[in-house]
Amino acid sequence: LMTEAAGLTLYLGFETLNLKRVEAFADTENAGSRRVLEKIGMRLVGTENRMVKNEERLYARYAVTRGEWETGVGREETGVGREGARWAD
């Protein structure tokens, strides 16, 4: 379910909002969140420290560009493509 929701977020970003690039962050210790981002075609582009609840944490930065999205990166995992979600009419 999370993979489909994340894929739909990319669809809305690129197809509705006409964004050129989408970035996301995940705690480096949260393997599940990082896997979701990788499954939807986002690639690791770096890490950075962020303050969360007065604690410094290391976060992974992921990104995907419009061009990568248009070539179908990650779509087979999510069922979401240029036509929208697979459950849409």
Side-chain angles (χ1 to χ4, degrees):
L1 186 60
M2 291 307 299
T3 302
E4 290 178 354
L8 187 56
T9 300
L10 288 183
Y11 170 80
L12 293 171
F14 290 127
E15 300 299 328
T16 303
L17 300 175
N18 201 31
L19 300 177
K20 295 186 184 328
R21 177 181 166 113
V22 174
E23 292 188 356
F25 294 88
D27 189 313
T28 55
E29 295 181 17
N30 189 333
S33 291
R34 294 183 68 184
R35 180 66 185 132
V36 166
L37 298 175
E38 292 164 0
K39 285 173 74 173
I40 64 170
M42 299 189 86
R43 59 185 161 45
L44 179 65
V45 295
T47 59
E48 66 183 63
N49 289 315
R50 299 181 136 211
M51 292 297 291
V52 177
K53 297 182 182 176
N54 295 322
E55 181 182 341
E56 191 169 310
R57 305 281 303 186
L58 184 62
Y59 276 76
R61 177 190 295 230
Y62 286 83
V64 64
T65 64
R66 171 180 285 286
E68 291 165 338
W69 172 252
E70 288 175 345
T71 61
V73 173
R75 288 194 200 162
E76 61 282 348
E77 293 283 345
T78 65
V80 178
R82 291 192 69 139
E83 70 284 351
R86 66 175 159 221
W87 57 84
D89 292 319

